[in-house]
């Protein structure tokens, strides 16, 4: 490739809208996903701001109780099914998994494109349901209410059912890709840790999601044909629905967080310029989390009337999740120790992940304990807990990964100053919004109400103000990222001094990923053996 | 597989050789079968729990099923599995005509299965042995026998859909076989459809005793 | 790329294996049907499932070639079975053990099949499409 000719890369070669709509290139599919999940995040974010706005004052200001129920349901469903589950695997994972293992593409490119269009199709059902009497059941669709409410449960569940297939196909594709498409010499222990995390995620996706599929089908049957298996009136059992649902939805939490943890492993190693500490421990703790995640779902049902024996077993097993999570956090911190730390924007997100995820994880232990949970169940404490894990964990990792790989994906560098400002706003806004909710919850503020007692007002107002700060951070981020696409400085091939294969190709990469097939000359984190320069800043 | 300087027509560009492509397809297929097992798994769980709660009702209700038709269907489906396996074997031996014959036999057996199922279903529709609020039969003792039929129709219905899906897949490979797209060198799609068909058989092997043979 | 040692010309099983397995499956089906007419107390389920498992093993090992193929495929299949077992067993920790410590106080909401009443209330509600709180 000569320098003089306008460089060919996956973005401009081949040309034309058809080459994008029918693309089989994993990078382009990743970009399509990225655009879609950003739209979903925006939609879910608008719902979130509306929720916080209603809760600014006690009493009904913005919306009545029914509308409020619909809005928080949509916030949850959109954020979970449309944004956070596909976020890291389908967008960043799709783009970078083949690059990280030196492959030309994923194992099944056509299935990959199909999974994107299935995602779009499922999302259309979800959006359609918004206009036909949005669901008000909560994203959990608990029976018996979900079989009785007059809102449009079926389009939303059908949407989630279809989105499940998209998730299954992505997971299936990744498993086969990781098994079969690694370049020669890349053994399992030379895989970047993000790949290990995607592998563990993919296992959960293919094992758990089919159960969600059958659950939602049963719910639809229950609603359409009154089959009665979840209806106590007819000899059915509504708690059974919760078992069905949480067998998927607890592991789904790890579909969300595990790839985030993978990104954090990459960020911490790259920006500490140090060999990652405890490679195998981190790799296997990903698999450990994936496995344990299937044994703990009953902790969502401590007050739902499941048997005491089941509650005890589930509570005990829930504590086990703390072990692999702890292993990861300790290994990351040890990697930082005596590292050459560069505080670039992606690293700032990684550090805030460490802080916020630890809070989110530890409060999870409170909720996994039977007696404490009875007090805290269905309060804002739970809301705060899972936002610390989902947003403080996954979204922070996603943003870290986005800022880390942005120059690689688009070949452009964003504005450093504004990216730090946005990061600070997001971090502060997040904590203001959600830390107050821990306090609210422990004082007894129940979740999912549009109204509250006057005594909770100061903290609610505080939380709402936090949501504005958070919103401001995201708006700034959108501005400088879009600006960078057009006016950004050209990024070098390896701006951060990473050792994984994606940095060995052009920014942006060419159509078939590598001009020369890369060779395994060093491991992904061999900073002790290889000298790399950080070229930006 | 030898060095692939000459790319066979069926080798996609992102694989380095035919072997890698074939193994990937098989791997993907097995993962897909795993998802199918868990999809049905939910219904097996519902079955297990309601049977454990209502053993007598299940016993009484299962008598409404026609054990002869169920047994006949089991034989039919096993036979179709044999013909499916043989069609792949013939392809491995490059006997295309035989493959076509066995695939058609598999399709025919699948049709017989569905016809028998149709007679079973229509009888139940006729006498009102139906799920949920459509249940109107009065000859079964025990509380809420409609639950049994909800599970019966759920399981056999989903299985029936899989039979239909398998049949369409068989038609697809049949057409491609007729068009000489496969040979002893390359027959991966036939093999994959075969795996799928065996899984459909496998599920029926469990459905049959669970629904028809409650002792 | 190094060409791998070829096992591509996959195992072609002799005809008699397929026919033999098919025959065994027929016989086992016959056996399980006959046993179902004998009352073995609680053991009927066990026997029926055991026979079904043998039949399933035959299909998986021979028709689906797991006996001869790379064992990773067998691992995938067993993984599926394992997680399915977790789903069923853990749920039964709940459904089979309810009311052990604290007997369930609540009565069934409506004893017996109240489904006909319920059908009326449903249909009357669906006529009224305006939103009311209920
Ligand atoms: Cu959970």
């Amino acid at each position: 490739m000569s320098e003089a000719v306008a460089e060919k890369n996956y973005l401009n070669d081949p040309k034309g809208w058809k080459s994008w709509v029918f693309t089989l290139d994993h990078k382009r599919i990743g970009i399509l996903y990225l655009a879609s999940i950003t739209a979903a995040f925006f939609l879910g974010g608008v719902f979130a701001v509306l929720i916080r706005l209603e809760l600014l004052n006690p009493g009904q200001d913005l919306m009545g109780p029914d509308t409020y129920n619909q809005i928080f349901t949509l916030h949850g469903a959109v954020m979970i099914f449309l944004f956070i589950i596909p976020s890291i695997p389908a967008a960043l994972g799709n783009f970078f998994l083949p690059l990280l293992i030196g492959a030309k593409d994923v194992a099944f490119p056509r299935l990959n494109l199909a999974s994107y269009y299935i995602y779009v199709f499922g999302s259309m059902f979800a959006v359609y349901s918004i206009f036909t009497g949005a669901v008000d059941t909560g994203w959990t669709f608990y029976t018996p209410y979900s079989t009785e409410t007059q809102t449009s449960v079926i389009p939303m569940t059908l949407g989630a059912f279809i989105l499940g297939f998209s998730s299954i196909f992505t997971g299936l594709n990744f498993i086969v890709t990781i098994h079969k498409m690694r370049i020669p010499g890349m053994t399992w222990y030379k895989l970047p840790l993000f790949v290990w995390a995607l592998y563990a995620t993919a296992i959960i996706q293919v094992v758990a999601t089919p159960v969600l599929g059958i659950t939602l089908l049963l719910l639809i049957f229950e609603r359409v044909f009154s089959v009665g298996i979840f209806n106590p009136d007819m000899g059915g059992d509504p708690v059974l629905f919760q078992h069905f649902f949480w067998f998927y939805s607890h592991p789904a939490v790890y579909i969300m967080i595990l790839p985030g943890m993978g990104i954090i492993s990459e960020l911490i190693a790259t920006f500490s310029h140090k060999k990652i500490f405890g490679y195998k421990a981190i790799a296997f703790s990903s698999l450990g989390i994936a496995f344990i995640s299937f044994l703990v779902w009953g902790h969502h049902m401590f007050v739902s009337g499941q048997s005491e024996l089941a509650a005890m077993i589930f509570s005990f097993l829930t504590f086990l999740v703390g072990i692999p999570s702890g292993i990861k956090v300790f290994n990351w911190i040890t990697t930082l120790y005596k590292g050459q730390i560069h505080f670039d924007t992606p690293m700032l997100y990684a550090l805030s992940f460490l802080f916020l995820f630890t809070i989110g994880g530890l409060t999870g232990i409170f909720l996994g304990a039977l007696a404490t949970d009875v007090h805290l169940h269905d309060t804002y404490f739970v809301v705060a807990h899972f936002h610390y894990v989902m947003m403080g964990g996954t979204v922070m990792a996603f943003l870290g990964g986005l800022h880390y790989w942005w120059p690689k994906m688009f070949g452009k560098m964003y504005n450093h100053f504004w990216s730090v400002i946005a990061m600070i706003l997001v971090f502060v806004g997040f904590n203001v919004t959600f830390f107050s909710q821990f306090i609210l919850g422990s004082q007894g503020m129940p979740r999912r109400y549009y109204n509250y007692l006057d005594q909770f007002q100061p903290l609610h107002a505080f939380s709402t103000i936090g949501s504005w700060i958070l919103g401001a951070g995201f708006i700034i981020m959108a501005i400088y990222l879009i600006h960078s696409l057009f006016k950004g400085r050209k990024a070098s091939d390896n701006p951060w001094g990473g050792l994984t294969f994606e940095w060995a190709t052009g920014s942006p990469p060419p159509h078939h990923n590598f001009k020369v097939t890369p060779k395994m000359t060093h491991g992904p984190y061999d900073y002790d053996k290889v000298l790399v320069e950080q070229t930006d800043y | 597989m030898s060095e692939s300087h000459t790319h066979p027509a069926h080798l996609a560009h992102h694989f380095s050789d035919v072997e890698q492509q074939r193994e990937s397809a098989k791997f993907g297929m097995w993962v897909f079968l795993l998802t199918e097992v868990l999809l049905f798994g939910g219904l097996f769980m519902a079955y297990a729990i309601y049977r454990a709660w209502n053993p007598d009702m299940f016993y009484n209700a299962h008598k409404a099923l026609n054990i002869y038709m169920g047994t006949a269907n089991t034989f039919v489906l096993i036979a179709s599995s044999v013909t499916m396996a043989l069609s792949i074997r013939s392809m491995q031996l490059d006997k295309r005509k035989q493959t076509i014959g066995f695939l058609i036999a598999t399709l025919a057996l699948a049709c017989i299965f569905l016809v028998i199922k149709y007679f079973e279903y229509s009888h139940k529709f006729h006498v009102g042995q139906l799920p949920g609020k459509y249940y109107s039969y009065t000859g079964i003792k025990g509380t809420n026998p409609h639950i049994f039929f909800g599970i019966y129709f759920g399981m056999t219905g989903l299985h029936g859909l899989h039979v239909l899906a398998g049949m369409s897949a068989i038609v697809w490979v049949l057409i491609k076989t007729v068009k000489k797209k496969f040979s002893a060198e390359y027959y991966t799609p036939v093999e994959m459809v075969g795996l799928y068909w065996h899984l459909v058989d496998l599920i029926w092997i469990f459905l049959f005793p669970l629904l028809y043979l409650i002792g | 790329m190094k060409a791998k040692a070829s096992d591509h010309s996959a195992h072609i099983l002799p005809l008699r294996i397929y026919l033999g397995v098919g025959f065994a499956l027929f016989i086992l089906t016959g056996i399980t049907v006959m046993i179902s007419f004998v009352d073995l107390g609680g053991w009927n389920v066990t026997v029926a499932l055991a026979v079904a498992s043998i039949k399933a093993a035959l299909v998986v090992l021979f028709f689906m070639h797991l006996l001869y193929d790379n064992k990773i495929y067998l691992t995938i299949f067993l993984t599926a079975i394992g997680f399915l077992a977790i789903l069923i067993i853990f749920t039964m920790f709940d459904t089979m053990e309810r009311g052990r410590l604290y007997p369930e106080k609540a009565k069934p909401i409506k004893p017996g099949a109240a489904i006909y009443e319920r059908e009326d209330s449903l249909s009357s509600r669906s006529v009224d499409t305006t939103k009311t709180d209920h």
Side-chain angles (χ1 to χ4, degrees), chain A residues 77 173 206 231 304 350 383:
Chain A
N173 219 334
V206 298
N231 185 345
S304 300
V383 178

Side-chain angles (χ1 to χ4, degrees), chain A residues 246 249-251 253-254 296-297 299-300:
Chain A
W246 288 112
S249 293
H250 181 80
V253 172
Y254 296 93
V296 300
W297 76 82
H299 62 213
H300 296 271

